[in-house]
Amino acid sequence: MIRYLRQVYQAWIDYPLRAGHRLQGRYEIVRFLGEGSYGLAYLSTDRQTGERVVVKQSKPSKRGLGRKLLRREQEALLALTHPSIPKCRGLFEDGKRLFLVTDWIDGATVEDLIFEQQRGFSELESLAFIARLLPVVRFVHERGWVHLDLRIPNVMVRDGTYVLIDFGLARRIGDTEGLEPFSSEEEERRRLPDVKSDWYAVGHFLLFLLYSGYEAQEGQPPGEWHEELSLSMATGRLLRRLLRLDEAYESDAALMRDVEAAIAALT
């Protein structure tokens, strides 16, 4: 019963703000975009400029931790000025709640492309996508940060360009302050503040792209990716290193060389 009551309380305190609500007398909420583990995001209109922006709120139920993560996200965005990363427009408090304002990216996520628009990527198209995404990832690493949430909902396609969004879990490389013990090896591979965590995530990202064009044969039993997908040797080696089934990569440059080699093997 206590657990149930706690869940009810959390759902109540984290209930999203309604459309039309205005924050600081400036940011008018258009619609609720969704929520993560620590934040709530809204598409909003900046009434001073007329522009659309994203306003992200730390979850009230997360208290100090949610506010700390939102401040760290602001720090990351201010350090990562890049055409393919949303700009931070400010941090403010309203009614004892903390909010972060960033650019609104008007486009489709890769998740939308695959599952809503039914877009299928060939092996060559999948590799080409990764080749265009990796320079952004490399930029993040060169500035001393790791994203730690490189998933298909967090990469957007806008006018033919790719934008990496949602730095809510980003950390400085090697920063383990406040990091809770990992519950599994899989979680450690995804969340340890090391560049290899982002590369591991890129491996799973690539698998999503490759499976978007996969059609199982009737009666075919489910298997591992290397059993189901018909891939070139170069792409198979690339995936095995990204997923740490073979020796892990040691640098973004080495990873990029292997991606380029895999593309060359198909052209």
Side-chain angles (χ1 to χ4, degrees):
M1 176 59 75
I2 292 177
R3 182 179 180 183
Y4 168 75
L5 291 174
R6 185 179 293 117
Q7 290 173 338
V8 170
Y9 171 74
Q10 182 173 323
W12 172 74
I13 197 173
D14 290 338
Y15 193 80
L17 300 171
R18 296 182 181 275
H21 185 93
R22 192 171 292 194
L23 297 162
Q24 270 203 331
R26 175 174 179 176
Y27 302 104
E28 184 174 319
I29 294 174
V30 176
R31 61 182 170 90
F32 177 56
L33 292 173
E35 66 178 290
S37 299
Y38 300 96
L40 307 165
Y42 309 91
L43 173 62
S44 306
T45 300
D46 182 344
R47 287 301 176 188
Q48 286 189 11
T49 66
E51 295 177 297
R52 290 291 174 93
V53 295
V54 173
V55 176
K56 190 171 183 180
Q57 173 191 0
S58 64
K59 273 188 174 179
S61 64
K62 297 301 181 181
R63 300 182 181 179
L65 177 59
R67 295 169 68 90
K68 180 179 179 179
L69 292 179
L70 205 60
R71 292 186 185 279
R72 189 165 66 199
E73 183 171 1
Q74 179 201 28
E75 181 186 0
L77 292 177
L78 290 175
L80 299 170
T81 301
H82 189 281
S84 292
I85 296 174
K87 291 181 181 178
C88 173
R89 296 186 174 219
L91 189 76
F92 67 90
E93 291 205 33
D94 185 292
K96 297 184 179 179
R97 295 168 296 188
L98 190 64
F99 297 88
L100 175 70
V101 186
T102 68
D103 286 347
W104 160 246
I105 308 302
D106 189 9
T109 67
V110 178
E111 183 178 53
D112 293 335
L113 294 178
I114 293 175
F115 293 108
E116 292 186 12
Q117 300 181 24
Q118 300 294 304
R119 168 75 189 276
F121 292 83
S122 68
E123 181 179 350
L124 182 57
E125 289 171 330
S126 299
L127 291 168
F129 195 112
I130 295 299
R132 292 178 62 187
L133 177 63
L134 282 178
V136 187
V137 177
R138 183 175 184 172
F139 170 82
V140 173
H141 295 167
E142 288 174 344
R143 293 301 187 277
W145 290 82
V146 277
H147 187 275
L148 297 182
D149 204 14
L150 278 163
R151 299 180 298 117
I152 57 174
N154 291 336
V155 175
M156 300 194 70
V157 180
R158 177 187 61 183
D159 299 328
T161 63
Y162 303 152
V163 182
L164 180 58
I165 65 172
D166 198 348
F167 282 73
L169 295 180
R171 281 179 174 264
R172 289 191 175 277
I173 295 172
D175 175 19
T176 58
E177 181 185 356
L179 199 62
E180 296 181 358
F182 299 114
S183 60
S184 65
E185 184 179 352
E186 172 73 12
E187 185 181 15
E188 181 176 356
R189 288 182 174 184
R190 290 181 178 275
R191 297 290 180 243
L192 191 68
D194 184 281
V195 293
K196 292 178 182 178
S197 297
D198 280 352
W199 297 335
Y200 183 73
V202 168
H204 285 274
F205 195 107
L206 178 54
L207 278 177
F208 268 103
L209 294 175
L210 292 166
Y211 266 104
S212 69
Y214 171 75
E215 291 186 11
Q217 301 298 317
E218 187 175 351
Q220 177 182 347
E224 299 293 331
W225 62 265
H226 52 83
E227 298 169 329
E228 295 182 330
L229 296 172
S230 179
L231 303 173
S232 68
M233 289 183 60
T235 301
R237 269 197 312 271
L238 171 69
L239 272 168
R240 291 186 65 83
R241 293 193 69 181
L242 286 169
L243 299 175
R244 303 193 205 177
L245 301 173
D246 287 341
E247 182 182 2
Y249 285 102
E250 294 299 329
S251 70
D252 288 285
L255 168 55
M256 192 65 212
R257 285 195 297 270
D258 273 7
V259 172
E260 291 171 348
I263 291 174
L266 296 172
T267 56

